Coordinates of all heavy atoms in Angstrom, one line a residue:
V214 N -9.5 -8.6 15.0 CA -10.9 -8.3 15.3 C -11.5 -9.4 16.2 O -12.3 -9.1 17.1 CB -11.7 -8.3 14.0 CG1 -13.2 -8.2 14.2 CG2 -11.3 -7.0 13.2
R215 N -11.1 -10.6 16.0 CA -11.6 -11.8 16.8 C -10.8 -12.1 18.0 O -11.4 -12.5 19.1 CB -11.6 -13.0 15.9 CG -12.5 -12.9 14.7 CD -13.9 -13.0 15.0 NE -14.8 -13.0 13.8 CZ -16.1 -13.1 13.9 NH1 -16.7 -13.1 15.0 NH2 -16.8 -13.0 12.8
E216 N -9.5 -11.9 18.0 CA -8.6 -12.4 19.0 C -8.0 -11.4 19.9 O -7.5 -11.8 21.0 CB -7.6 -13.4 18.4 CG -8.2 -14.5 17.6 CD -7.1 -15.5 17.1 OE1 -5.9 -15.3 17.4 OE2 -7.5 -16.5 16.4
T217 N -7.9 -10.2 19.5 CA -7.2 -9.1 20.3 C -8.3 -8.4 21.2 O -9.3 -8.0 20.7 CB -6.5 -8.1 19.4 OG1 -5.5 -8.8 18.7 CG2 -5.8 -7.0 20.3
P218 N -8.1 -8.4 22.5 CA -9.0 -7.7 23.4 C -9.3 -6.3 22.9 O -8.4 -5.6 22.4 CB -8.3 -7.7 24.7 CG -7.3 -8.8 24.7 CD -6.9 -8.9 23.2
V219 N -10.6 -5.9 23.0 CA -11.0 -4.6 22.5 C -10.3 -3.4 23.1 O -10.0 -2.4 22.4 CB -12.5 -4.4 22.7 CG1 -12.9 -4.3 24.2 CG2 -13.0 -3.2 21.9
E220 N -9.8 -3.6 24.4 CA -9.1 -2.5 25.0 C -7.7 -2.3 24.4 O -7.0 -1.3 24.7 CB -9.0 -2.7 26.5 CG -8.3 -3.9 26.9 CD -9.2 -5.1 27.1 OE1 -10.4 -5.0 26.6 OE2 -8.8 -6.1 27.8
E221 N -7.2 -3.3 23.6 CA -5.9 -3.2 23.0 C -5.9 -2.9 21.5 O -4.9 -2.9 20.8 CB -5.1 -4.5 23.2 CG -4.8 -4.8 24.7 CD -4.0 -6.1 24.8 OE1 -3.6 -6.7 23.8 OE2 -3.8 -6.5 26.0
R222 N -7.1 -2.6 21.0 CA -7.2 -2.3 19.5 C -8.3 -1.3 19.3 O -9.1 -1.0 20.2 CB -7.6 -3.6 18.8 CG -8.9 -4.2 19.1 CD -9.3 -5.3 18.2 NE -10.4 -6.1 18.7 CZ -11.7 -5.7 18.5 NH1 -11.9 -4.6 17.9 NH2 -12.7 -6.5 18.9
E223 N -8.3 -0.7 18.2 CA -9.3 0.3 17.7 C -9.5 0.1 16.2 O -8.7 0.5 15.4 CB -8.8 1.7 18.0 CG -9.8 2.8 17.5 CD -11.1 2.8 18.3 OE1 -11.2 2.2 19.4 OE2 -12.1 3.4 17.8
I224 N -10.6 -0.6 15.9 CA -10.9 -0.9 14.6 C -12.3 -0.3 14.3 O -13.3 -0.8 14.9 CB -10.9 -2.4 14.3 CG1 -9.5 -3.0 14.5 CG2 -11.4 -2.7 12.8 CD1 -9.3 -4.5 14.3
T225 N -12.3 0.7 13.5 CA -13.6 1.4 13.3 C -13.7 1.8 11.9 O -12.7 1.8 11.1 CB -13.7 2.7 14.2 OG1 -14.9 3.3 14.1 CG2 -12.6 3.7 13.8
S226 N -14.9 2.2 11.4 CA -15.1 2.6 10.0 C -16.2 3.5 9.9 O -17.1 3.7 10.8 CB -15.4 1.3 9.2 OG -16.6 0.7 9.6
T227 N -16.3 4.2 8.8 CA -17.3 5.2 8.4 C -17.7 5.0 7.0 O -16.8 4.9 6.1 CB -16.9 6.6 8.7 OG1 -16.6 6.8 10.0 CG2 -18.0 7.6 8.3
T228 N -18.9 4.9 6.7 CA -19.4 4.8 5.3 C -20.0 6.2 4.9 O -20.9 6.7 5.7 CB -20.4 3.7 5.1 OG1 -19.8 2.5 5.6 CG2 -20.8 3.5 3.6
L229 N -19.6 6.8 3.9 CA -20.1 8.1 3.5 C -20.1 8.3 2.0 O -19.5 7.5 1.3 CB -19.1 9.2 4.1 CG -17.7 9.4 3.5 CD1 -17.2 10.7 3.9 CD2 -16.8 8.3 3.9
V230 N -20.8 9.3 1.6 CA -20.9 9.7 0.2 C -20.0 10.9 0.0 O -20.0 11.9 0.8 CB -22.3 10.1 -0.2 CG1 -22.3 10.7 -1.7 CG2 -23.2 8.9 -0.2
M231 N -19.1 10.9 -1.0 CA -18.3 12.1 -1.4 C -18.0 12.0 -2.8 O -18.2 11.0 -3.5 CB -17.0 12.1 -0.5 CG -16.0 11.1 -0.9 SD -14.5 11.2 0.1 CE -13.3 10.5 -1.0
S232 N -17.5 13.1 -3.3 CA -17.2 13.3 -4.7 C -15.9 12.6 -5.1 O -14.9 12.8 -4.3 CB -17.2 14.7 -5.1 OG -16.7 14.9 -6.5
S233 N -15.8 11.9 -6.2 CA -14.5 11.3 -6.6 C -13.4 12.3 -6.8 O -12.2 12.0 -6.6 CB -14.7 10.5 -7.9 OG -15.7 9.5 -7.8
K234 N -13.7 13.6 -7.1 CA -12.7 14.6 -7.3 C -12.0 14.9 -6.0 O -10.9 15.5 -6.0 CB -13.3 15.8 -7.9 CG -14.3 16.6 -7.0 CD -14.9 17.8 -7.7 CE -15.8 18.6 -6.7 NZ -16.4 19.8 -7.4
N235 N -12.6 14.5 -4.8 CA -12.0 14.8 -3.5 C -11.1 13.7 -3.0 O -10.6 13.8 -1.8 CB -13.1 15.2 -2.5 CG -13.7 16.6 -2.8 OD1 -13.0 17.5 -3.3 ND2 -15.0 16.7 -2.5
I236 N -10.9 12.7 -3.8 CA -10.1 11.6 -3.3 C -8.6 12.0 -3.0 O -8.1 11.6 -2.0 CB -10.0 10.4 -4.3 CG1 -11.4 9.7 -4.4 CG2 -8.9 9.4 -4.0 CD1 -11.5 8.6 -5.5
G237 N -8.1 12.9 -3.8 CA -6.8 13.4 -3.5 C -6.7 14.2 -2.2 O -5.7 14.0 -1.4
M238 N -7.7 15.0 -1.9 CA -7.7 15.7 -0.6 C -7.9 14.7 0.5 O -7.2 14.8 1.6 CB -8.9 16.6 -0.6 CG -9.0 17.5 0.7 SD -10.6 18.4 0.8 CE -10.5 19.3 -0.7
A239 N -8.7 13.7 0.3 CA -8.9 12.6 1.4 C -7.6 11.9 1.7 O -7.3 11.7 2.9 CB -10.0 11.6 0.9
K240 N -6.9 11.6 0.7 CA -5.6 10.9 0.8 C -4.6 11.8 1.6 O -3.8 11.3 2.4 CB -5.0 10.4 -0.5 CG -5.9 9.3 -1.2 CD -5.4 9.0 -2.6 CE -4.1 8.3 -2.6 NZ -3.7 7.9 -4.0
E241 N -4.6 13.1 1.2 CA -3.7 14.0 1.9 C -4.0 14.1 3.4 O -3.1 14.2 4.2 CB -3.7 15.3 1.2 CG -2.7 16.3 1.7 CD -1.3 15.8 1.5 OE1 -1.0 15.2 0.5 OE2 -0.5 16.1 2.4
L242 N -5.3 14.2 3.7 CA -5.7 14.3 5.1 C -5.3 13.0 5.9 O -4.9 13.1 7.1 CB -7.3 14.5 5.2 CG -7.8 15.9 4.8 CD1 -9.3 15.8 4.7 CD2 -7.3 16.9 5.8
I243 N -5.5 11.9 5.3 CA -5.1 10.6 5.9 C -3.6 10.6 6.2 O -3.1 10.2 7.3 CB -5.5 9.4 5.1 CG1 -7.0 9.3 5.1 CG2 -4.8 8.1 5.6 CD1 -7.6 8.3 4.1
R244 N -2.8 11.0 5.2 CA -1.3 11.1 5.3 C -0.9 12.0 6.5 O 0.0 11.8 7.3 CB -0.7 11.5 4.0 CG -0.7 10.4 3.0 CD -0.3 11.0 1.6 NE -0.5 10.0 0.6 CZ -0.7 10.3 -0.7 NH1 -0.8 11.5 -1.1 NH2 -0.9 9.3 -1.6
E245 N -1.6 13.2 6.5 CA -1.3 14.2 7.5 C -1.6 13.6 8.9 O -0.8 13.8 9.9 CB -2.1 15.4 7.3 CG -1.8 16.6 8.2 CD -2.7 17.8 7.9 OE1 -3.2 17.9 6.8 OE2 -2.8 18.6 8.8
F246 N -2.7 12.9 9.1 CA -3.1 12.3 10.3 C -2.0 11.3 10.7 O -1.6 11.2 11.9 CB -4.5 11.6 10.3 CG -4.7 10.7 11.4 CD1 -5.0 11.2 12.7 CD2 -4.6 9.3 11.2 CE1 -5.2 10.3 13.7 CE2 -4.8 8.4 12.3 CZ -5.1 8.9 13.5
R247 N -1.6 10.4 9.8 CA -0.6 9.4 10.1 C 0.7 10.0 10.6 O 1.3 9.5 11.5 CB -0.4 8.5 8.9 CG 0.6 7.4 9.1 CD 0.7 6.5 7.9 NE 1.1 7.2 6.7 CZ 2.3 7.5 6.4 NH1 3.3 7.2 7.3 NH2 2.6 8.1 5.3
Q248 N 1.1 11.1 9.9 CA 2.3 11.7 10.3 C 2.3 12.3 11.7 O 3.2 12.2 12.5 CB 2.7 12.8 9.2 CG 3.1 12.2 7.9 CD 3.2 13.2 6.8 OE1 2.9 14.4 7.0 NE2 3.5 12.8 5.6
N249 N 1.1 13.0 12.0 CA 0.9 13.6 13.3 C 0.8 12.5 14.4 O 1.4 12.6 15.5 CB -0.4 14.4 13.3 CG -0.2 15.7 12.6 OD1 0.9 16.2 12.4 ND2 -1.3 16.2 12.1
F250 N 0.2 11.4 14.0 CA 0.1 10.2 15.0 C 1.5 9.7 15.3 O 1.8 9.5 16.5 CB -0.7 9.1 14.3 CG -1.0 7.9 15.2 CD1 -2.2 7.9 15.9 CD2 -0.1 6.9 15.2 CE1 -2.5 6.8 16.7 CE2 -0.4 5.8 16.1 CZ -1.6 5.7 16.8
E251 N 2.3 9.5 14.3 CA 3.7 9.0 14.6 C 4.5 10.1 15.4 O 5.2 9.7 16.4 CB 4.4 8.8 13.2 CG 3.9 7.6 12.4 CD 4.6 7.5 11.1 OE1 5.9 7.7 11.1 OE2 4.0 7.2 10.1
R252 N 4.3 11.3 15.1 CA 5.1 12.4 15.7 C 4.7 12.4 17.2 O 5.6 12.6 18.1 CB 4.9 13.7 15.1 CG 5.6 14.9 15.7 CD 5.4 16.1 14.9 NE 4.0 16.4 14.7 CZ 3.2 17.1 15.6 NH1 3.7 17.4 16.7 NH2 1.9 17.3 15.3
L253 N 3.5 12.3 17.5 CA 3.0 12.4 18.9 C 3.2 11.2 19.8 O 3.5 11.2 21.0 CB 1.5 12.8 18.9 CG 1.2 14.2 18.4 CD1 -0.3 14.3 18.3 CD2 1.7 15.2 19.4
L254 N 3.1 10.0 19.2 CA 3.1 8.7 19.9 C 4.3 7.8 19.8 O 4.6 7.0 20.7 CB 1.9 7.9 19.6 CG 0.5 8.6 19.9 CD1 -0.7 7.8 19.4 CD2 0.4 8.8 21.4
E255 N 5.1 8.0 18.7 CA 6.3 7.1 18.6 C 7.4 7.5 19.6 O 7.6 8.6 19.8 CB 6.8 7.2 17.2 CG 7.9 6.1 16.9 CD 8.2 6.1 15.4 OE1 8.2 7.1 14.8 OE2 8.6 4.9 15.0
E256 N 7.9 6.4 20.2 CA 9.0 6.6 21.3 C 10.3 6.0 20.9 O 10.3 5.0 20.1 CB 8.5 6.0 22.6 CG 7.2 6.6 23.1 CD 6.7 5.9 24.4 OE1 7.6 5.6 25.2 OE2 5.5 5.6 24.5
D257 N 11.4 6.5 21.4 CA 12.7 5.8 21.1 C 12.7 4.4 21.7 O 13.3 3.5 21.1 CB 13.8 6.7 21.7 CG 14.0 8.0 21.0 OD1 13.6 8.0 19.8 OD2 14.5 8.9 21.6
T258 N 12.1 4.2 22.9 CA 12.0 2.9 23.5 C 10.5 2.8 24.0 O 9.9 3.7 24.4 CB 12.9 2.7 24.6 OG1 12.7 3.7 25.6 CG2 14.4 2.8 24.2
G259 N 10.0 1.6 23.9 CA 8.7 1.3 24.3 C 8.6 -0.2 24.8 O 9.6 -0.8 24.9

Side-chain angles (χ1 to χ4, degrees):
V214 169
R215 298 286 183 181
E216 299 184 4
T217 301
V219 68
E220 61 269 17
E221 295 183 6
R222 62 172 171 81
E223 178 66 18
I224 298 178
T225 184
S226 65
T227 299
T228 304
L229 72 161
V230 173
M231 73 177 204
S232 174
S233 297
K234 67 181 182 182
N235 289 327
I236 290 177
M238 183 191 302
K240 293 172 70 173
E241 187 59 37
L242 287 170
I243 290 171
R244 289 169 184 153
E245 184 179 339
F246 165 76
R247 181 175 57 80
Q248 290 166 1
N249 288 334
F250 184 94
E251 290 179 38
R252 179 174 54 82
L253 291 171
L254 296 176
E255 190 170 31
E256 303 176 41
D257 290 335
T258 59

